[in-house]
Amino acid sequence: DRSSGPRVSDTELRVYKDPSKDELPLLPEELVQDSAKDVTYICPFIGPVRGSLTVTNYRLFFRCTDREPVFGLDLPLGGLSRVEKIGAASSRGDVSYGVVCKDMRNLRFVHKEPENSLKKSVFEVLMKFAFPVSNNMSLFAFEYKQVFPENGWKVYDPLAEYKRQGLPNESWRISKVNDHYELCDSYPATLFVPVTITDEELRRVSSFRAKGRIPVLSWIHPESQAAVVRASQTMVGQNGRRCKEDEKLLQAIMDANAQSHKLFIFDARPSVNAAANKMKGGGFESEDAYQNAELVFLDIHNIHVMRESLRKLKDVVYPNIEESHWLSNLESTHWLEHIKLILAGALRIADKVESGKTSVVVHCSDGWDRTPQLTSLALIMLDSHYRTIRGFQILLEKEWLSFGHRFQQRVGHGDKNHTDADRSPIFLQFIDCVWQMTRQFPAAFEFNEYFLITILDHLYSCLFGTFLCNSEQQRLKEEVPKRTVSLWSFVNSQLEEFVNPLYVHYPSHVLFPTVGIRHLQLWVSYYIRWNPRMRPQEPVHQRYKELLAKRAELQKRVEELQREAANRMASSSSERAGSPTRSITPVQTFV
Amino acid sequence: MAFCLLYKPVLQFCEIVVNEANFVRKCIGAESCQDDLWGKLVCTNFKVSFIAHNSLPRQCTHRLLGEHDIPLACVEQVVTVNDVKGKQKILGSNQKLKFNPTELILYCKDFRIIRFRFDEAGPESAKKVCLAIAHYSHPADPQLLFGFEYVGKAYNKIYMRVNGVDPGGGLQTPLFDCSSDWDREIKRTGASEWRVCTINQGYFISPSLPEFFVVPVSLADQDLKQYACCFYSQRIPLWCWNHSSGSALVRMSNISDPQQQRKVEQRISSAITKSHPLRSDVFKSDLDKNLPNIQDIQAALLKLRQICVIDSFEESEEKWLSSLESSRWMEYVRTFLRHAVEVVYMLESRHVSVILLEKEDRDLSCVISCLVQLMCDPHCRSLHSFQGLIQKEWVMAGHRFLDRCNHLKRNDKEESPVFLLFLDCVWQLWNQYPAAFEFTEVYLTVLGDSMWVPVFSTFLFNCPRQRAEHSRDFASSKSIHLGQDQALCFPPVWDWSQQFSLKDQTLFNNPLYVGKIATCVQNGTVKTFTHRRSKVSC
């Protein structure tokens, strides 16, 4: 039953139609853990509202009781990054609680301490269930047993995806060297490498690349055979170590593409940071060791800078916006500047591959943050398949999940350690970049904005297994595909919600977005969606659905008419042919 | 033969070549000259044209202008440079140039900057074409604007066959130049207590009002004639529109005679009150106090232009958002929208009639009254009604298009992009309500650009009377028989077939438009600080 499935609430305050009914929509296996009456939610937009607060093993649910129309808050506990008591109890025994969310909002509640000191306050229960990992409990994704018509875990089959790209071919082969994740525990089992490189050589390369993340193929151009290859940094160190197998591998990557006698290495980092990494044993390819290769730095900053930038953005947009200095405040967060650098980097990669017909190697330090941002954006520009709903899912499964973007660490699922320096909005930034592209090419993407927001909401929700763990190996070890539901099961079972009616499928169009600051926008409908004044004022989503229905109707009509025309043609031609084998009713003539 | 054809500028039937220079290089890229085009630079009485030597004749989509054409009215400043001598001169009309120019830079009103180089051209012909462009882009008299030539020739051609010219080319857009258009508007809005007043026929009462306008039924012509002299330029208060609740939107200029002020104001107010079904009070909204003035708006546009096209790209890219903020253009857009929302609140929720008060009632009122109607009345959001709205609140109400566009380049102090600011406001609304408007962003852009194509009645005059007078003068000087027409029948910009094919006009239709069912678009709206620079404004 689809209606009992989860819905992403796109408004903070949901209005309930029938206030008399208790409308807590529980999911399968979702259990109420505690609830309290007389909780006050200090809404930054409409002021304090009183109501009841319910905590389940999946969500926080607040329903106000003193207002018409009745509305409430309904958010998955996975979206919480911090719950804390603020200050001491007031003279009336009221205690304030602050909830910091991963989705750009903070909530504040006021509640009386329970008089019976043995009884836990609802907020203590909330703290326990909001951070199950820190409390030795499992994430709700492992409990949730909703059945969907489609199994989303089957969306991505690496061999089928590489076959779509025409692989293996005479230059690229599948290597089984990482079948049991021995070569690199953060890489997928299926790797594509040049045919001229042996598995033994790959093992040697792995000791020269950070975390063993060797250069492997991400994508190959169907015509020019120019390849997008991803890796981590070389372990050059201060003494300038070299590795002849690595040099041979890069030469082989270049040789696999007959169209070009050059190879471009895109190092995502600012050159200063890349150089500083030599102190820690890392570094970058020297042009002495790698002849025919040209190294380009893309000046994208690290996870800590990005986290800080998003924090500043949150300060600027939540809860209140200083209208008179909106633009300069936004500028001072540097968020759009970072988006610009990432898009600009991806654009250079796509341009080298498409226009220069040259193969490229992309890496940052470990190759699991900036690298997937760049490769997946470049792939979206280059390959229209990744702009479809299913293609985009494959892209995420491939470039982000199988290649070990550390979702667990970057998001901190169920972990109460909100100051963890490993957290960073890298994936959010990527989705933002995709959104910027959908703005510039409104007819090039099969999915709509709601699809992107749904992905981000479930990045945090812990309802689906898709974004759990740090690598393919970990997900298999935890039996995530067996024990949880994939986000794509949910999405693909109601595709009509996510379709962009303006989409036109042009198979071979390459997108080159404009990346200047003046062409980028703040994604208001994501970052500022909690502010009621910033909401889109027209239900465009509804209008899109109407357009889709209209299109389907017209399509059907066209087919009907075509069939009719074909029939007429067939019958008239057969009449004229006057086939002797067919008995034609003789036309009676009355005289 | 075909080769020769390529060299010739495409001329309108009444257009003449004034001067031309060969072997001119049009600069395309900022840094290198590899993309530059070689060709002939031509100045006509309508446009600056460049005919590239080696480019194939492109199927141009614009019917009046080619790919490289700039209407003279669009030229803001003509700068000649001699980089050998290190000299530079801004050229006006009838000027002398003491050096041979090596380069000509045209700064355009639509933010274009176009450069031509004369390295290979004959120095004399280069100088002559520069002087011609400077001279012809500074017409000494409105009648030298190309529109007169354009429409005058049309008379000579067509008059023989048809008795007069079809005023709007069978347009569906009401022009509000006759009492029937006003009658229909009164009926449509249910403004039964309002009537069309004809006392200004022949423009005998007020020079800047239209011949027909609408007043409360309780005010007799005799009273109006008496009050007229108290108002600035004898502008009797004008009815704009009625809200479905019966509240009226009225625009009014300042009362110039302080002794009469209270009495006249009271009479007007009580007449408006009488025309309200609930006999509600009247709210006066002082626009001069609450909104930026025309000089502020012009200053903001100049700053915006500075950061958009004059400052180096890297420099402006780095500080784009804060520079945009400091231009104040967006702030002004927001101020206008917010003010309109306040007026809507008075009409819609407080059920009172509103008087928009502005000193001359010819600039800020145009913007606010249009925005209010766009916000409240879904009817105005269809293409033809939107055009009717502009006709009603701008053209007929006497917005000084001639002065604000500064077509004659005579008085920079009067120049102000009020209409562009209005289009930007509409664009913002359009963005917030993508399904509420029948027209598209393309339409708004093209409408803004049409201000600089000086053939349309819409943007050529300061008021209807001026149009009539110039028409008469021009007609008599050229022996044109106007027949029954009061004035020369310039095509309004709404006759889009003057500029575009029917196929191109389909780009004006918004596929998301839901029709006239949508309701008020104002509620809790204005979030105009969307950081994106309006495409309309640039």
Side-chain angles (χ1 to χ4, degrees):
Chain A
D1 177 13
R2 218 178 276 162
S3 62
S4 70
R7 290 272 160 169
V8 183
S9 73
D10 53 355
T11 55
E12 179 183 25
L13 300 172
R14 217 189 252 189
V15 177
Y16 292 94
K17 283 182 199 105
D18 184 358
S20 60
K21 255 170 68 183
D22 195 10
E23 286 184 84
L24 179 53
L26 288 181
L27 297 172
E29 313 303 323
E30 184 181 4
L31 300 168
V32 173
Q33 305 298 329
D34 196 9
S35 66
K37 293 204 160 51
D38 285 340
V39 176
T40 305
Y41 164 52
I42 317 282
C43 176
F45 308 111
I46 57 170
V49 281
R50 278 161 61 105
S52 63
L53 183 76
T54 306
V55 174
T56 74
N57 49 349
Y58 171 63
R59 82 181 84 201
L60 175 159
F61 184 79
F62 174 82
R63 190 163 162 277
C64 92
T65 45
D66 66 345
R67 239 169 228 263
E68 288 292 336
V70 169
F71 56 74
L73 285 170
D74 182 354
L75 63 152
L77 297 180
L80 273 45
S81 79
R82 182 177 180 182
V83 180
E84 61 180 1
K85 204 188 260 190
I86 304 169
S90 73
S91 54
R92 286 181 299 168
D94 286 341
V95 190
S96 230
Y97 289 90
V99 175
V100 179
C101 301
K102 293 170 182 172
D103 59 7
M104 304 293 283
R105 59 182 156 165
N106 300 333
L107 310 173
R108 242 186 92 196
F109 296 98
V110 176
H111 182 50
K112 272 203 182 0
E113 285 285 88
E115 279 162 23
N116 178 356
S117 58
L118 289 176
K119 192 182 180 308
K120 274 190 177 168
S121 123
V122 69
F123 288 95
E124 286 170 65
V125 177
L126 176 65
M127 277 185 235
K128 184 174 157 198
F129 284 89
F131 309 111
V133 172
S134 306
N135 292 303
N136 288 320
M137 302 186 310
S138 66
L139 294 165
F140 183 70
F142 291 101
E143 318 281 327
Y144 180 57
K145 290 290 179 283
Q146 179 91 42
V147 178
F148 290 97
E150 186 183 323
N151 182 359
W153 292 116
K154 300 224 162 104
V155 160
Y156 176 56
D157 170 4
L159 290 179
E161 166 56 19
Y162 286 108
K163 194 174 168 203
R164 185 187 69 87
Q165 298 180 24
L167 296 170
N169 62 14
E170 68 277 12
S171 310
W172 295 88
R173 69 176 179 95
I174 307 176
S175 168
K176 297 208 179 269
V177 69
N178 203 36
D179 243 9
H180 302 287
Y181 308 104
E182 293 144 324
L183 183 87
C184 172
D185 60 3
S186 59
Y187 257 15
T190 310
L191 298 176
F192 271 82
V193 294
V195 286
T196 50
I197 304 293
T198 65
D199 284 356
E200 190 42 45
E201 284 168 322
L202 293 177
R203 280 190 198 98
R204 298 237 183 85
V205 173
S206 78
S207 62
F208 185 63
R209 290 277 171 176
K211 312 284 194 301
R213 295 169 66 92
I214 60 170
V216 294
L217 183 105
S218 255
W219 186 79
I220 188 160
H221 195 285
E223 279 143 35
S224 71
Q225 302 289 301
V228 177
V229 171
R230 57 181 292 168
S232 64
Q233 65 179 336
T234 50
M235 301 305 282
V236 174
Q238 281 168 299
N239 302 328
R241 274 179 58 205
R242 287 177 63 165
C243 168
K244 68 176 187 341
E245 288 80 6
D246 194 74
E247 289 160 26
K248 186 182 167 193
L249 174 56
L250 262 56
Q251 182 64 38
I253 291 167
M254 198 196 84
D255 293 341
N257 168 18
Q259 304 258 7
S260 173
H261 302 290
K262 229 177 151 59
L263 181 72
F264 272 84
I265 302 172
F266 286 99
D267 188 326
R269 301 166 292 184
S271 58
V272 187
N273 300 31
N277 257 288
K278 285 187 176 171
M279 310 283 278
K280 295 182 263 174
F284 49 88
E285 295 83 350
S286 73
E287 286 179 14
D288 295 339
Y290 299 85
Q291 281 165 11
N292 308 323
E294 192 173 324
L295 185 69
V296 179
F297 293 101
L298 296 177
D299 289 323
I300 301 168
H301 284 278
N302 62 26
I303 60 166
H304 310 293
V305 175
M306 301 310 184
R307 184 178 55 237
E308 183 58 16
S309 176
L310 185 68
R311 189 194 62 75
K312 283 190 194 151
L313 182 64
K314 187 169 175 177
D315 282 350
V316 170
V317 301
Y318 193 92
N320 294 311
I321 292 165
E322 195 194 338
E323 301 206 7
S324 53
H325 294 110
W326 165 242
L327 294 172
S328 45
N329 284 346
L330 178 61
E331 183 176 279
S332 69
T333 69
H334 299 292
W335 182 255
L336 288 174
E337 215 176 295
H338 295 312
I339 296 286
K340 171 190 154 166
L341 284 169
I342 296 166
L343 272 171
L347 181 67
R348 289 181 72 173
I349 294 168
D351 182 52
K352 267 286 166 278
V353 173
E354 176 66 26
S355 317
K357 300 185 167 139
T358 308
S359 294
V360 298
V361 175
V362 184
H363 70 72
C364 45
S365 297
D366 291 322
W368 54 42
D369 291 310
R370 284 165 278 195
T371 301
Q373 283 181 333
L374 290 167
T375 56
S376 47
L377 286 169
L379 264 47
I380 288 172
M381 295 172 196
L382 290 164
D383 188 341
S384 65
H385 180 61
Y386 298 127
R387 296 173 223 143
T388 64
I389 293 181
R390 283 170 193 275
F392 191 74
Q393 295 169 5
I394 288 169
L395 183 75
L396 296 190
E397 289 282 349
K398 181 160 104 55
E399 288 302 305
W400 290 85
L401 292 155
S402 84
F403 276 99
H405 172 67
R406 305 180 74 74
F407 279 104
Q408 172 64 41
Q409 276 197 343
R410 296 290 174 258
V411 179
H413 295 306
D415 183 354
K416 70 174 180 188
N417 184 11
H418 60 85
T419 55
D420 189 348
D422 276 325
R423 290 199 188 174
S424 189
I426 299 301
F427 185 72
L428 166 64
Q429 255 181 341
F430 158 70
I431 296 287
D432 191 332
C433 292
V434 175
W435 179 82
Q436 304 284 353
M437 285 178 66
T438 64
R439 292 282 108 174
Q440 293 189 22
F441 303 97
F445 292 83
E446 192 192 7
F447 47 83
N448 57 22
E449 181 180 46
Y450 183 59
F451 176 69
L452 297 177
I453 293 180
T454 303
I455 291 174
L456 287 177
D457 281 341
H458 289 296
L459 169 67
Y460 307 123
S461 77
C462 294
L463 182 63
F464 301 104
T466 302
F467 297 114
L468 303 187
C469 303
N470 288 322
S471 64
E472 186 176 291
Q473 186 205 25
Q474 277 184 18
R475 272 185 291 276
L476 282 182
K477 204 177 128 218
E478 299 285 330
E479 298 184 290
V480 171
K482 215 183 276 175
R483 294 168 56 207
T484 71
V485 179
S486 160
L487 171 58
W488 316 131
S489 305
F490 164 68
V491 167
N492 294 344
S493 301
Q494 45 172 354
L495 279 176
E496 67 281 2
E497 293 285 326
F498 305 109
V499 174
N500 167 19
L502 302 179
Y503 175 60
V504 184
H505 180 67
Y506 291 121
S508 54
H509 273 201
V510 175
L511 307 183
F512 292 120
T514 328
V515 297
I517 281 282
R518 49 191 89 196
H519 293 278
L520 301 181
Q521 301 173 53
L522 184 72
W523 189 7
V524 168
S525 45
Y526 179 75
Y527 297 108
I528 323 186
R529 63 180 155 154
W530 310 123
N531 187 335
R533 296 189 63 207
M534 295 301 289
R535 252 170 236 153
Q537 301 190 44
E538 254 184 343
V540 177
H541 194 63
Q542 189 54 40
R543 181 74 185 134
Y544 279 173
K545 279 197 201 165
E546 286 165 22
L547 280 178
L548 282 170
K550 190 85 198 158
R551 194 176 68 180
E553 186 189 309
L554 291 172
Q555 190 75 46
K556 214 176 121 194
R557 183 87 187 111
V558 166
E559 279 160 21
E560 269 170 26
L561 288 171
Q562 277 171 345
R563 218 174 306 134
E564 211 172 288
N567 285 346
R568 240 182 247 172
M569 214 108 96
S571 62
S572 69
S573 65
S574 64
E575 266 167 43
R576 244 178 289 129
S579 156
T581 52
R582 270 181 69 184
S583 66
I584 299 166
T585 325
V587 181
Q588 292 206 333
T589 341
F590 296 96
V591 181
Chain B
M1 189 64 197
F3 193 66
C4 294
L5 278 176
L6 290 187
Y7 270 171
K8 285 210 172 127
V10 181
L11 298 181
Q12 300 304 318
F13 59 86
C14 43
E15 192 177 353
I16 47 163
V17 172
V18 179
N19 223 311
E20 56 186 46
N22 263 310
F23 304 108
V24 177
R25 185 151 58 87
K26 182 179 176 178
C27 306
I28 304 292
E31 268 125 44
S32 76
C33 52
Q34 60 177 15
D35 297 325
D36 288 358
L37 296 171
W38 288 94
K40 189 197 307 200
L41 181 64
V42 181
C43 174
T44 77
N45 55 343
F46 170 49
K47 68 189 180 227
V48 178
S49 197
F50 178 80
I51 302 110
H53 285 181
N54 44 6
S55 74
L56 291 166
R58 276 253 298 263
Q59 192 119 56
C60 199
T61 51
H62 200 284
R63 285 181 170 172
L64 299 177
L65 296 164
E67 190 190 353
H68 299 288
D69 291 351
I70 312 148
L72 289 164
C74 188
V75 176
E76 166 97 49
Q77 204 174 57
V78 181
V79 179
T80 44
V81 183
N82 182 313
D83 42 20
V84 184
K85 294 183 180 163
K87 283 186 175 169
Q88 183 173 332
K89 187 175 183 185
I90 300 170
L91 287 181
S93 82
N94 265 334
Q95 272 182 316
K96 288 211 173 78
L97 190 56
K98 286 183 185 147
F99 57 84
N100 288 325
T102 54
E103 188 172 330
L104 167 71
I105 310 173
L106 299 178
Y107 290 90
C108 301
K109 305 241 191 188
D110 58 9
F111 282 29
R112 280 184 294 177
I113 300 171
I114 295 164
R115 288 167 56 221
F116 297 102
R117 299 230 17 126
F118 301 116
D119 303 297
E120 312 284 323
E124 268 312 304
S125 68
K127 191 194 256 184
K128 273 186 184 155
V129 82
C130 290
L131 289 170
I133 291 170
H135 184 70
Y136 276 81
S137 59
H138 290 76
D141 185 283
Q143 290 176 32
L144 292 173
L145 287 165
F146 183 67
F148 282 89
E149 207 56 44
Y150 186 75
V151 74
K153 284 279 163 53
Y155 269 89
N156 287 342
K157 241 182 157 181
I158 304 165
Y159 189 75
M160 307 309 286
R161 281 180 282 132
V162 228
N163 191 17
V165 179
D166 184 2
L171 281 178
Q172 294 172 38
T173 299
L175 298 177
F176 290 95
D177 56 353
C178 54
S179 64
S180 59
D181 283 343
W182 288 103
D183 271 326
R184 261 193 295 277
E185 186 72 351
I186 288 173
K187 219 170 265 167
R188 185 184 73 78
T189 56
S192 53
E193 295 297 303
W194 296 82
R195 68 177 178 94
V196 181
C197 164
T198 57
I199 55 169
N200 202 37
Q201 260 186 310
Y203 309 102
F204 293 125
I205 303 287
S206 165
S208 69
L209 283 185
E211 290 189 285
F212 307 99
F213 50 89
V214 174
V215 295
V217 285
S218 58
L219 288 178
D221 283 356
Q222 210 46 47
D223 302 331
L224 290 170
K225 279 182 189 158
Q226 191 197 330
Y227 301 150
C229 56
C230 304
F231 288 98
Y232 204 96
S233 161
Q234 292 81 46
R235 285 178 71 92
I236 295 161
L238 297 175
W239 173 87
C240 307
W241 173 78
N242 250 38
H243 187 267
S244 54
S245 67
S247 309
L249 182 66
V250 177
R251 45 195 289 179
M252 182 167 113
S253 64
N254 277 5
I255 295 168
S256 46
D257 182 351
Q259 289 181 327
Q260 299 283 321
Q261 187 170 0
R262 179 166 298 177
K263 192 184 101 196
V264 174
E265 239 177 49
Q266 211 168 22
R267 291 273 173 84
I268 297 291
S269 295
S270 74
I272 295 172
T273 300
K274 273 186 205 155
S275 289
H276 195 291
L278 304 174
R279 305 286 178 268
S280 322
D281 274 346
V282 176
F283 174 78
K284 279 194 207 74
S285 172
D286 189 336
L287 304 187
D288 292 317
K289 262 189 203 150
N290 291 296
L291 297 171
N293 62 33
I294 59 161
Q295 284 87 15
D296 296 335
I297 296 168
Q298 170 72 357
L301 187 82
L302 292 181
K303 279 186 201 145
L304 187 65
R305 190 223 305 259
Q306 182 75 26
I307 62 167
C308 284
V309 293
I310 313 251
D311 287 346
S312 81
F313 184 81
E314 285 74 23
E315 207 177 296
S316 56
E317 176 78 356
E318 207 168 288
K319 292 249 153 262
W320 174 250
L321 292 173
S322 47
S323 313
L324 186 58
E325 182 176 289
S326 66
S327 79
R328 307 191 74 175
W329 179 263
M330 299 284 284
E331 181 189 324
Y332 292 160
V333 169
R334 187 163 79 95
T335 311
F336 273 87
L337 281 166
R338 197 178 46 199
H339 196 85
V341 169
E342 280 164 21
V343 173
V344 170
Y345 170 76
M346 298 310 290
L347 293 164
E348 174 122 343
S349 307
R350 300 277 299 274
H351 304 296
V352 297
S353 293
V354 175
I355 295 179
L356 304 176
L357 202 59
E358 185 193 356
K359 190 177 174 209
E360 290 193 48
D361 179 37
R362 294 173 74 174
D363 290 295
L364 312 179
S365 308
C366 305
V367 184
I368 296 296
S369 67
C370 273
L371 289 177
V372 168
Q373 293 173 61
L374 279 170
M375 287 174 182
C376 291
D377 190 346
H379 175 83
C380 302
R381 298 175 217 139
S382 75
L383 189 120
H384 287 296
S385 309
F386 178 70
Q387 299 184 153
L389 186 65
I390 293 171
Q391 203 57 39
K392 184 170 76 159
E393 301 298 340
W394 294 80
V395 181
M396 285 302 142
H399 176 66
R400 300 173 191 272
F401 276 110
L402 183 69
D403 294 346
R404 297 293 173 258
C405 293
N406 205 6
H407 282 316
L408 306 181
K409 300 187 178 62
R410 249 189 227 155
N411 191 349
D412 290 347
K413 276 189 194 135
E414 293 289 326
E415 184 170 348
S416 181
V418 187
F419 188 68
L420 183 64
L421 183 93
F422 163 67
L423 292 182
D424 198 337
C425 292
V426 178
W427 184 84
Q428 302 286 349
L429 280 173
W430 187 91
N431 257 274
Q432 292 184 30
Y433 296 93
F437 295 89
E438 191 182 20
F439 46 84
T440 56
E441 184 175 25
V442 171
Y443 170 81
L444 290 174
T445 312
V446 162
L447 180 54
D449 284 345
S450 301
M451 269 193 283
W452 315 118
V453 183
V455 300
F456 306 116
S457 59
T458 323
F459 303 124
L460 278 183
F461 305 102
N462 285 335
C463 59
R465 178 186 168 184
Q466 193 189 32
R467 176 179 152 200
E469 282 178 357
H470 281 303
S471 297
R472 267 202 306 277
D473 291 358
F474 186 81
S476 66
S477 71
K478 302 274 168 171
S479 322
I480 295 168
H481 300 283
L482 288 176
Q484 291 169 332
D485 295 340
Q486 293 285 312
L488 286 172
C489 285
F490 293 90
V493 69
W494 322 124
D495 183 1
W496 291 108
S497 58
Q498 298 280 337
Q499 296 189 72
F500 304 101
S501 67
L502 281 176
K503 185 168 166 269
D504 286 340
Q505 287 178 51
T506 55
L507 292 173
F508 296 171
N509 296 326
N510 175 10
L512 293 180
Y513 181 53
V514 290
K516 293 172 188 175
I517 47 163
T519 47
C520 185
V521 298
Q522 147 273 338
N523 267 333
T525 58
V526 173
K527 53 129 197 183
T528 49
F529 41 82
T530 152
H531 85 281
R532 191 153 101 170
R533 168 183 54 131
S534 154
K535 284 183 188 148
V536 169
S537 64
C538 302

